[in-house]
Amino acid sequence: MDNKDIFKPVLVKNDKKAFWIIGIFSSVIFLAITVLARIKIDIDLGFNPHVFAKINACINFAVAVLLPLGIYFVKSKKYVAHKRTMFAAIVLSSLFLISYVLHHLLTSSTLYPKDAGSIKYFYYFILITHIFLAGIILPFILLTSYRALTAEFYTHKKIARITFPIWWYVSITGVIVYLMISPYY
C-alpha cells in the first residue's frame, strides 16, 4: 500500500448507520463492563489471575507509546505508517478490554490502604478520572476511525484532536493505577 491508496475510502459513508452502530456497540460494551465488574467467578486457574492486570498495564503502555507515534507519522506525512500504528492501537485496546474483563471476573477489587497517607488521594484522583474517561472514550475512537475509513480526513483530524488526548490520558493513567495498586494485590 502506498500513500496515494491511503486517501481512498475503505467504507462507504453512511452516517446514520454508523452512528447507530457506534452508539449501540459503545453502549453494549459499557454496560457489559459495568455488569461484569460486579460478578466474580471463583475458579482455580493454576496461576495468579492478577497477571491480567499486568497484561492490561503492558497493553496500556504500548498504546501510550503508539498514540504519539501515530501523531508523529501523520505530521511527517507517513500516512501508511500512521494508519498501521493507529490500527495496532485499536487492536491492542480491544485485547485490553478482554483482559480487563477477565481480570475483574476472576479477582476481587483491591482497595488502596487507608493508612497510605496523602498519596491515596492522588491514587483515587487518577483512578476516578481514568475510569470516567475510559468509560466515554470508545465512541470517540470509533467515530474518529470511521471518519478516517470514509476518507473524511478534515473531520477525522478535528475529532482526533479530542480523541487523542483522552485516549492517551486513559492509557497513561492505566499504567499509573496499576503501578500504584499492584503492591496490594
Side-chain angles (χ1 to χ4, degrees):
M1 176 184 294
D2 61 28
N3 275 340
K4 68 179 172 124
D5 291 333
I6 200 82
F7 295 111
K8 293 180 182 174
V10 176
L11 295 177
V12 175
K13 181 179 175 176
N14 185 338
D15 286 353
K16 187 174 182 180
K17 184 176 178 181
F19 294 159
W20 273 102
I21 291 170
I22 289 168
I24 291 168
F25 183 76
S26 298
S27 298
V28 167
I29 295 296
F30 181 80
L31 290 172
I33 288 173
T34 302
V35 169
L36 291 173
R38 290 157 175 52
I39 299 171
K40 176 155 178 355
I41 300 173
D42 194 19
I43 58 173
D44 183 10
L45 298 172
F47 62 88
N48 184 345
H50 286 297
V51 72
F52 292 113
K54 185 178 274 189
I55 292 168
N56 294 343
C58 291
I59 291 171
N60 272 325
F61 180 79
V63 171
V65 171
L66 288 172
L67 292 175
L69 187 60
I71 298 296
Y72 166 78
F73 285 140
V74 79
K75 287 185 183 247
S76 302
K77 299 189 183 326
K78 297 177 181 178
Y79 301 116
V80 173
H82 170 74
K83 183 177 182 177
R84 290 178 178 157
T85 302
M86 300 316 294
F87 181 74
I90 290 170
V91 168
L92 285 174
S93 293
S94 300
L95 293 173
F96 168 85
L97 283 173
I98 295 166
S99 181
Y100 178 87
V101 167
L102 287 171
H103 180 247
H104 286 279
L105 279 174
L106 299 169
T107 63
S108 298
S109 293
T110 304
L111 299 175
Y112 210 73
K114 290 181 182 182
D115 62 351
S118 59
I119 192 77
K120 71 181 174 203
Y121 299 112
F122 174 74
Y123 169 78
Y124 282 115
F125 174 79
I126 295 293
L127 178 65
I128 290 166
T129 57
H130 170 81
I131 290 170
F132 174 75
L133 293 172
I136 65 169
I137 193 58
L138 181 58
F140 286 96
I141 293 169
L142 297 175
L143 184 59
T144 305
S145 301
Y146 169 71
R147 292 298 182 203
L149 293 171
T150 56
E152 296 176 84
F153 299 113
Y154 174 78
T155 309
H156 167 76
K157 182 178 178 179
K158 206 170 163 181
I159 299 167
R161 289 183 177 177
I162 298 166
T163 305
F164 168 77
I166 298 171
W167 193 5
W168 198 38
Y169 180 86
V170 167
S171 299
I172 291 169
T173 56
V175 176
I176 294 169
V177 166
Y178 169 76
L179 291 172
M180 292 186 77
I181 198 67
S182 62
Y184 306 106
Y185 285 149

